[in-house]
Amino acid sequence: MHPHRPQAAAGGAPGITVVVIGHDDAAHVTDAVRSALGQGPAVREVVAVDDCSTDGSAGLLARLAGTEPRLRVIRHRANSGGCGSPRNTGLDAATSPYVMFLDSDDVLPAGAVDALLGAAGAADADVTGGLCVRRELPSGREVPWQPGLYAAPRMLAHPARRPRLVHDTLCVNKLYSTAFLRAHGIRFPEGHFPYEDFVFTARVWAAVPRVALVPDRVYVWQVRRSARRLSISLDRAGLDNWQDRTRACRTAYEILLAAGQKELARAARAKFLDHELRMYVRELRLHDAEYRHAWWAHTRAFLAEYDAADWARDPVAPGRLIGRVLLASPEPRDLPRLQELAGRPARLCPPYPRAADGTPCWSADLPGVTLEPLLARPVTRLPLAVDAELRPRTRATRLRLRLHELYGLLERARPVELEIEWRHRDGGGRRVCTVPLRAAAGGGWSAETTVRPARLAALGAGAWDLRLRVRFGDGSSREVTAHACAGPGLLRRRAVPSVRHGVVLVRPYATHSGALALRVALGVRGAASVVRGRLWRLLH
């Protein structure tokens, strides 16, 4: 028998403790608790840990506990300053064979516990993970978190058999054997330690659990970007957030390395380059010069800890290439180009220089940052760059696109056509057309089409993203996004007459990664709401 396998209580299946933590979240905490209680009898108890709230949260929980015998409320007398201490309090109080964690502003979807518990029992697993979705509020748009890990049921006798596990640093979309956590002394960092789940998850993988993965939705991470108090992952305005994040990543790496899990440790470093570094580089130009210089210096010092093996595998992967430019440059440079490279998918924008020996390189003054490995990449993995210009007309807008050559690699692949898709960000619809690519003066290829905002408006107001697919002569293709060109007459807000809506307000803009997108508002009322929203952002 597995030494940590939870034993069933008399007359039933093993039970679960759901630990709910919260601080000053009276608006949401009871919804979180009810979502846990609503999972059914498999939830033996819910332990709600109130981290010394001052907004009435404790009273709400106490009243709910008076009507629900499965709910226990524990109140901290002083605020701990983080999420780790209240989770540890709940873990210490848990009496069930299994435990999972829930934040006060999130919810468990129906059937989550049954899906996790069934898989845990069938696989004799110490840790069972399922799909988390990020739900953007108020729109309700849902984006799966690390969906590739949870595409199909899977059992792993050792986490190293799936190094991608280190990309899922969440602690909340997993069910843990309580005995396993206690036997290995696995806890969260105490006190003020942002990104505490990075460290907790590293400690879990370092203990070599038996792992089960399921494709079921088991956690809804509710993202409120307009909230007065942003979550840690969204509040990236100050340098301290980046410093906290790098500290957590370094600690996770050291935990895995000390446990002899070298492959997982190296995967954690690669994850930092591909996820954390790219995310913050996309936003770097939003900050002032003082922040940029401090961020640049801190990041260079952090990356200096990497060794040659960390850079050797696929050195032109976007995150690694960004990191190499950072290490080669004492001061911030090429921020627009790095921003585009940090996008998803990545865009390597011109220029495309060569070193003195003809080798492709990042720039003439950084010839040591070689791009030579690009020459061996298939065209379907190249960071292709497309420029997009929107030229307004009375009822429609002309979209001009230009695909750049990349060291002669595209000419050999023969680009033939471009599939153009406008995709509603909240899943409201899509419009697709295909246009031929023609050789452009000065090199590269070009294509044109017409954008009719009223037709997009008919499918839904809100944000529309431009997605492209380049098709080549051999039948292969590559999905890309387009760089939003600025200049006279470009990215200009305008009102378009509409028989159905009276007027459609269209605002082209560049996303954080520089990609072209549109925001569409319907009618006079919709246009007024966009103006009010812009005024609110300017005043706040």
Side-chain angles (χ1 to χ4, degrees), residues 87 100-103 108 170-174 176 218-219:
R87 288 203 184 111
M100 66 184 302
F101 302 99
L102 172 62
D103 290 347
L108 299 181
L170 301 180
C171 69
V172 290
N173 60 330
K174 301 174 182 71
Y176 306 92
V218 301
Y219 196 88

Side-chain angles (χ1 to χ4, degrees), residues 81-84 105 192-197 221 229-237 241-242 244-245 280:
C83 297
D105 52 353
H192 179 72
F193 194 108
Y195 303 105
E196 74 294 330
D197 44 355
W221 175 2
R229 188 183 67 187
L230 293 174
S231 66
I232 292 171
S233 61
L234 294 179
D235 189 7
R236 299 193 288 270
N241 178 277
W242 180 237
D244 289 337
R245 193 149 189 154
Y280 282 73

Side-chain angles (χ1 to χ4, degrees), residues 23 116 233 237:
H23 170 69
L116 290 169
S233 61

Side-chain angles (χ1 to χ4, degrees), residues 289-334:
E290 181 180 1
Y291 175 98
R292 294 176 191 172
H293 279 83
W295 183 94
W296 195 273
H298 177 80
T299 308
R300 292 183 79 237
F302 180 78
L303 293 177
E305 301 170 10
Y306 281 43
D307 58 33
D310 293 319
W311 302 106
R313 184 183 299 178
D314 199 1
V316 291
R320 283 187 175 88
L321 183 51
I322 292 169
R324 289 165 56 214
V325 172
L326 272 156
L327 284 176
S329 310
E331 299 292 332
R333 58 170 293 156
D334 301 336

Side-chain angles (χ1 to χ4, degrees), residues 4 6 10 15 40 48 55 109 172 192 197 205 218 262 264 287 295 331 333 346 371 406 415 434 439 484 516 521 529:
H4 305 121
D55 68 343
V172 290
H192 179 72
D197 44 355
W205 300 144
V218 301
K262 294 182 179 180
L264 291 178
H287 297 276
W295 183 94
E331 299 292 332
R333 58 170 293 156
L371 302 184
L406 185 62
T434 301
L516 179 65
S529 69

Side-chain angles (χ1 to χ4, degrees), residues 399-463:
L399 175 63
R400 296 176 179 174
L401 300 161
R402 178 171 179 174
L403 171 65
H404 292 279
E405 177 58 278
L406 185 62
Y407 295 113
L409 299 172
L410 271 65
E411 185 176 9
R412 291 199 295 271
R414 295 184 297 115
V416 293
E417 62 183 19
L418 202 59
E419 181 182 279
I420 302 170
E421 175 188 2
W422 289 101
R423 186 183 303 173
H424 196 281
R425 192 168 297 168
D426 296 332
R430 58 195 292 262
R431 292 196 71 89
V432 182
C433 68
T434 301
V435 295
L437 281 166
R438 297 183 174 87
W445 297 262
S446 64
E448 290 193 20
T449 188
T450 299
V451 181
R452 299 190 181 277
R455 293 183 181 178
L456 296 181
L459 295 175

